Amino acid sequence: MSEAVLDLHPVAGRIGAEVRNVRLSGSLAQTSIDAIRAALLQYKVLFFRGQQHLDDADQEAFARRWGTLVAHPTVPVRNGTSALLELDSETGGRANSWHTDVTFDLAYPQVSILRGVVIPAAGGDTVWANTAQAYLDLPPALRQLADNLWALHTNAYDYASRFQVNAAGLKRYEEVFTSTIYETEHPVVRVHPETGERTLVLGHFVKKLLGYPTTDSEQLLKIFDSYITRLENTVRWRWSVGDVAIWDNRATQHYAINDYGDQHRVVRRATIAGDVPVSIDGRRSVARSVGEAATAKAVDKAVSV
């Protein structure tokens, strides 16, 4: 079977490409799926404009072509769907902080697929950063240090200080997002299971570096984060209704910019089950909490069927 040839247009120098003339659907030819996956491994995030034909069911059908569709561990799925997470600015969906999706989970998602549903007239862009390139940018001494570091990731952190939410938003967060506390130990540097690249596993779910006092941990995290989010290592996307972004969640961080005031913004995300990260010396991430262990068991079962 011949390979599909994509109409690819890089958006930034180190990360991101727009794919043109592709109509996404659950019935897309396997050759096209394979070509998109190969492009994703290269560019880390892909953008598709003009996908207004997709509804919730279509988005889920397309997502299933990538692997096992998984719901968010604590936030309820959108009504009428099996796994879609709706991020609605009017109900607290403003994740304006650098993060990799759901790293408090042991086998956090490998791929995220986001669809623009309601987009502000101005503002509401999303920025992605290349964590594989960030690792390569580290000076040799910092790279050696990072190779041996592990971090504790959790969904229980100072949400109010990071997101500046009102009292009602904070109460909803505490009731929903932290209804079950997850804690997982991940290597700061993981080996990508498909490309072999080394990527940094950090972001706002990191509570601290293991083995370091809090103050030292915070300072080191700031240094590593500065390499991830430096402007030349990022790509910024201006959304239109019907746009779809697909990113490799094992090799990126992202930031949804909260600069659109009281305008309405709604996006819906599908995520694909991932694998347990492996450090450069072959050790696998470790689940600390009961809730996390239960999630890991469910993921292993889903992957095996």
Side-chain angles (χ1 to χ4, degrees), residues 240-258:
S240 296
V241 172
D243 286 359
V244 170
I246 305 175
W247 63 92
D248 186 339
N249 198 51
R250 302 160 296 186
T252 58
Q253 284 188 27
H254 59 281
Y255 187 116
I257 303 173
N258 182 14

Side-chain angles (χ1 to χ4, degrees), residues 107-122:
Y108 61 85
Q110 59 167 293
V111 170
S112 293
I113 302 171
L114 194 67
R115 173 170 59 102
V117 179
V118 179
I119 302 300

Side-chain angles (χ1 to χ4, degrees), residues 123-139:
D125 297 358
T126 304
V127 185
W128 284 263
N130 184 336
T131 62
Q133 183 61 52
Y135 175 81
L136 294 176
D137 288 344
L138 293 173

